[in-house]
């Protein structure tokens, strides 16, 4: 029990007593103690349930703001922003490269004005916000910090996460812009700025989710995520940062897929392995070795056929995340294989988390499956295979030198998985088992053409109202910092406050650094 908290009686629904933890509660590796196999906090969900952070991004900032406020009214406890592809790739909505893509897979954010609309009627010191953004993470974080300054919110009160994990873009996802070394320099700039200016902010969310979604196995997800994490830690150390200044704010992002017990074991193995790696390689303190992570249910597991089956899949995956000790969770809408989730499916996804938290009983004790022969064996085996992969990556010179290796391993795993589905040896209900000739439901889509036209018109009106001389001066300061190897966050924040856009900042960095050639 955490210090200062009064003991309370916890029972099953039938009135049987439930202990805080089973097994040797004070033994090494018990919940809240290094290497955190059984959880990062002594009480786990008895003290506080995971953050329910539903991911949302719908075309325009105004639409997304409406969804955010709806989800907050339904009991969501954190916000998570999905951005459209032009925003992720550093293009303004009126760029030629953005044509036809504005607002399609998330919200279009070109400027501070868009960020202001995105959080209209939402105080930034009253919410925790996660932003899934990588190559342009510095710019989106700058918009958020600038908006907080506008609202009069102390930077020390801002809380949330920016993904800022560019290595996995080269490996698995593809929304990279700049060459590897300057991209990693930008990651380090964000880590350094956050540790100094916004201490409650998680400056990076090292993502296994997209690695798993690209087709990796569970051990590959752990290994490749940690290879990237070790590279970021090494780069931050090389930039002069003390491990204790930033390691406590490192966070991770994992997928939860259908193999319930393998997923639980994966989360347990990941906690133990990360703690051991930081301790052995960087002599980090126990507190800095805690693996804290967000989980999202598996988008790639959703089927367009018989989409209501996805309700069950999402429930199993969310249960795995809870049994595995996640710190926050997003549950997918059952219709996301067809389109952006409807309001009703988003509410059902949130209710799924709330029912698990409130009615299933899994929150009553820490690490409920600890001690299971099967789960413990799986935990050990996932860790063993992950270590073998890390040794191969180390031999290649680390994650930044092993991109091709990790890509190929993921491609091979994805190919084997798909061949198994097509051969029928891997059952997928509604697809190759219990299939029905009912066709795939159609879900109405927004008028993306009109949405894009409206976004472009607003952007051009904002540009016309700016002081062009000040814009040029601020962009010049960003260029100078990029060339001089100074921290880029302060000049980017000052630039966005004068109306400089995401695409304009991305362009001066392209001019300074070039682009990545795959």
């Amino acid at each position: 029990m955490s210090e200062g908290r009064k003991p309370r009686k916890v029972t099953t629904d039938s009135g049987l007593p439930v202990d805080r933890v089973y097994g040797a509660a004070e033994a090494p590796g018990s919940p809240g103690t290094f290497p955190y196999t059984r959880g990062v906090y002594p009480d786990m969900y008895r003290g506080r349930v995971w953050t329910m952070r539903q991911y949302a991004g719908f075309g325009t900032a105004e639409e997304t703001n409406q969804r955010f406020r709806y989800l907050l009214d339904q009991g969501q406890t954190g916000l998570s922003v999905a951005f459209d592809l032009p925003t992720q790739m550093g293009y303004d909505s009126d760029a030629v490269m953005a044509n036809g893509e504005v607002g399609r897979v998330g919200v279009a954010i070109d400027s501070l004005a868009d960020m202001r609309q995105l959080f209209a009627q939402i105080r930034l010191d009253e919410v925790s916000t996660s932003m899934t953004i990588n190559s342009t993470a510095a710019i989106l974080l700058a918009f958020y910090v600038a908006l907080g300054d506008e609202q009069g919110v102390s930077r020390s009160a801002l809380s949330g996460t920016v993904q800022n994990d560019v290595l996995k873009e080269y490996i698995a996802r593809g929304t990279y812009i700049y060459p590897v070394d300057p991209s990693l320099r930008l990651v380090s700039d964000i880590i350094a700025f956050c540790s100094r200016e916004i201490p409650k902010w998680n400056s990076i969310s090292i993502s296994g989710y997209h690695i798993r979604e690209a087709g990796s196995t569970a051990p590959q997800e752990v290994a490749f995520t940690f290879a990237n994490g070790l590279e970021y830690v090494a780069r931050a150390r090389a930039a002069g940062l003390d491990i204790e200044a930033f390691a406590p704010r490192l966070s991770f992002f994992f997928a939860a897929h259908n193999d319930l017990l393998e997923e639980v074991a994966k989360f347990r193995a990941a906690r133990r392995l990360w703690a051991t790696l930081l301790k052995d390689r960087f002599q980090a303190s126990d507190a800095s070795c805690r693996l804290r992570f967000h989980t999202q249910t598996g988008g790639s597991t959703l089927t367009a056929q018989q989409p209501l089956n996805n309700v069950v899949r999402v429930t199993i995956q969310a249960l795995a995340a809870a049994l595995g000790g996640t710190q926050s969770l997003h549950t997918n809408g059952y219709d996301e294989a067809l389109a952006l989730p409807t309001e009703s499916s988003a509410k059902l996804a949130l209710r799924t988390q709330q029912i698990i938290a409130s009615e299933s009983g899994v929150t009553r004790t820490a690490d409920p499956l600890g001690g299971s022969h099967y789960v413990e064996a799986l935990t050990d085996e996932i860790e063993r295979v992950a270590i073998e992969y890390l040794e191969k990556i180390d031999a290649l010179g680390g994650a930044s030198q092993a991109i091709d290796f990790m890509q190929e391993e993921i491609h091979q795993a994805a190919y084997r998985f798909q061949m198994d589905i097509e051969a029928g040896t891997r059952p997928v209900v509604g697809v190759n088992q219990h299939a029905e000739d009912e066709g795939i439901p159609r879900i109405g889509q927004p008028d993306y053409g009109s949405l894009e036209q409206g976004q472009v018109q607003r952007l051009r009106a904002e540009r016309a109202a700016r002081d062009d001389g000040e814009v040029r001066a601020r962009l010049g300061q960003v260029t100078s910092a990029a060339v001089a190897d100074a921290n880029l966050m302060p000049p980017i924040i000052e630039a966005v406050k004068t109306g400089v856009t995401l695409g304009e900042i991305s362009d001066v960095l392209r001019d300074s650094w070039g682009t990545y050639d795959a």
Side-chain angles (χ1 to χ4, degrees):
M1 185 179 64
S2 297
E3 188 175 342
R5 187 176 299 135
K6 293 181 179 179
R8 62 185 178 87
K9 186 177 180 181
V10 177
T11 67
T12 67
D13 287 352
S14 301
L16 304 175
V18 179
D19 291 343
R20 175 181 67 84
V21 61
Y22 287 84
E26 306 306 322
S30 61
T33 65
F34 182 90
Y36 306 107
T37 311
R38 305 196 63 192
V40 291
Y41 303 116
D43 285 359
M44 286 306 292
Y45 303 135
R46 275 200 186 193
R48 176 186 173 186
V49 78
W50 62 86
T51 300
M52 299 180 190
R53 191 187 301 279
Q54 294 297 100
Y55 191 44
F58 295 87
T60 66
E62 183 177 14
E63 286 181 283
T64 308
N65 173 262
Q66 291 172 0
R67 177 61 62 89
F68 280 167
R69 289 192 283 122
Y70 170 79
L71 289 169
L72 290 170
D73 288 344
Q74 296 301 315
Q76 178 169 301
T77 53
L79 301 178
S80 184
V81 189
F83 298 98
D84 72 355
L85 280 175
T87 302
Q88 295 179 50
M89 296 295 293
Y91 294 109
D92 286 335
S93 294
D94 61 350
V96 173
M97 290 293 290
N99 187 28
E101 292 293 341
V102 175
R104 284 188 177 268
V105 298
V107 62
I109 300 293
D110 295 315
S111 66
L112 178 57
D114 288 333
M115 187 66 82
R116 194 180 294 126
Q117 179 59 58
L118 183 65
F119 290 95
Q121 302 180 52
I122 300 172
R123 287 275 302 178
L124 298 193
D125 54 353
E126 296 176 357
V127 294
S128 170
T129 302
S130 174
M131 295 190 283
T132 303
I133 196 73
N134 297 284
S135 294
T136 54
I139 305 169
L140 273 300
L141 179 58
F143 287 147
Y144 197 85
V145 171
L147 179 60
D149 290 349
E150 270 189 14
Q151 290 186 354
V153 174
S154 166
R155 291 183 180 182
S156 63
L158 297 176
S159 66
T161 304
V162 65
Q163 192 161 94
N164 191 29
D165 176 8
V166 76
L167 281 172
K168 68 96 173 49
E169 297 298 326
Y170 302 110
I171 295 164
R173 192 162 174 268
T175 63
Y176 45 74
I177 303 174
Y178 317 113
V180 174
D181 281 339
S183 292
L184 288 172
R185 172 264 176 105
L186 199 50
V187 170
S188 295
D189 283 356
I190 293 171
I191 292 172
F193 174 81
C194 291
S195 65
R196 184 177 65 247
E197 295 276 341
I198 42 178
K200 291 170 64 177
W201 194 269
N202 299 315
S203 54
I204 189 167
S205 175
I206 305 160
S207 175
Y209 181 84
H210 301 100
I211 290 169
R212 189 67 179 279
E213 288 290 284
S216 81
T217 64
Q220 287 172 344
E221 178 187 0
V222 172
F224 299 164
T225 303
F226 288 174
N228 292 343
L230 292 170
E231 181 92 33
Y232 297 133
V233 172
R235 298 274 179 152
R237 289 287 303 279
L241 292 179
D242 187 306
I243 187 76
E244 303 302 329
F246 67 89
R249 301 309 301 176
L250 297 175
S251 65
F252 288 80
F253 175 23
F254 290 115
H257 279 210
N258 288 331
D259 191 334
L260 175 72
L261 298 179
E262 181 180 61
E263 293 299 287
V264 174
K266 178 189 74 180
F267 298 132
R268 301 173 86 250
R271 270 193 299 271
R272 184 166 71 202
L273 179 55
W274 181 250
T276 304
L277 289 168
L278 277 199
K279 179 72 72 176
D280 290 350
R281 297 194 185 195
F282 300 101
Q283 294 74 56
S285 67
D286 286 4
S288 293
C289 292
R290 283 193 181 97
L291 176 83
R292 298 170 303 107
F293 63 95
H294 171 71
T295 308
Q296 181 172 335
T297 57
S300 63
T301 70
L302 303 179
T303 63
Q305 301 93 329
Q306 301 179 29
L308 283 172
N309 293 347
N310 295 328
V311 175
V312 183
R313 293 186 177 101
V314 168
T315 303
I316 291 169
Q317 294 163 11
L319 183 60
L323 290 169
T326 193
Q327 276 60 68
S328 70
L329 178 61
H330 164 91
T331 33
N332 291 329
Y334 70 84
D335 52 2
E336 288 189 48
L338 304 168
L340 291 172
T342 59
E343 189 172 275
S344 61
S345 71
K347 180 163 73 172
L348 179 59
L350 178 60
R351 292 288 183 260
T352 301
Q353 292 198 51
Q354 291 166 334
I355 289 169
I356 291 172
S358 300
E359 299 183 26
S360 72
V362 301
T363 62
R364 292 170 182 157
T365 188
D367 190 29
L369 299 184
S372 155
H373 294 300
Y374 182 43
V375 170
E376 295 293 351
L378 278 176
T379 301
D380 292 344
E381 184 66 6
I382 289 170
E383 183 180 32
R384 183 191 66 78
V385 176
I387 288 171
E388 287 183 353
Y389 272 114
L390 285 168
E391 289 171 348
K392 292 176 183 178
I393 293 167
D394 286 342
L396 291 168
S400 64
Q401 303 301 311
I403 289 170
D404 290 345
F405 168 73
M406 290 187 274
Q407 282 180 338
E408 183 60 22
E409 290 294 311
I410 294 168
H411 292 165
Q412 291 295 331
Y415 177 78
R416 290 191 296 270
F417 190 94
Q418 185 60 34
M419 289 301 98
D420 288 346
I421 292 175
E422 293 185 14
T425 56
R426 184 182 297 273
V428 181
V429 173
V431 176
N432 64 8
Q433 193 177 84
H434 310 298
E436 297 173 358
D437 188 17
E438 60 180 16
I440 295 175
R442 298 185 63 84
I443 292 181
Q445 295 286 311
D447 182 351
Y448 286 112
S450 296
L451 183 154
E452 181 170 331
Q453 186 177 26
Q455 180 70 15
V456 168
Q457 289 173 349
R458 286 189 293 275
L459 173 61
R460 290 177 175 169
E462 290 167 24
R463 285 209 195 100
R466 300 182 310 187
D467 181 328
D468 288 341
E470 189 171 13
V471 166
R472 285 193 298 272
R474 295 300 185 187
L475 285 173
Q477 291 170 354
V478 173
T479 300
S480 297
V483 173
D485 208 24
N487 193 299
L488 276 155
M489 283 304 302
I492 292 176
I493 291 170
E494 293 308 310
V496 303
K497 287 182 176 181
T498 65
V500 175
T501 67
L502 174 137
E504 290 167 337
I505 294 170
S506 299
D507 283 344
V508 300
L509 295 179
R510 285 186 183 96
D511 291 342
S512 299
W513 295 337
T515 56
Y516 179 71
D517 183 359

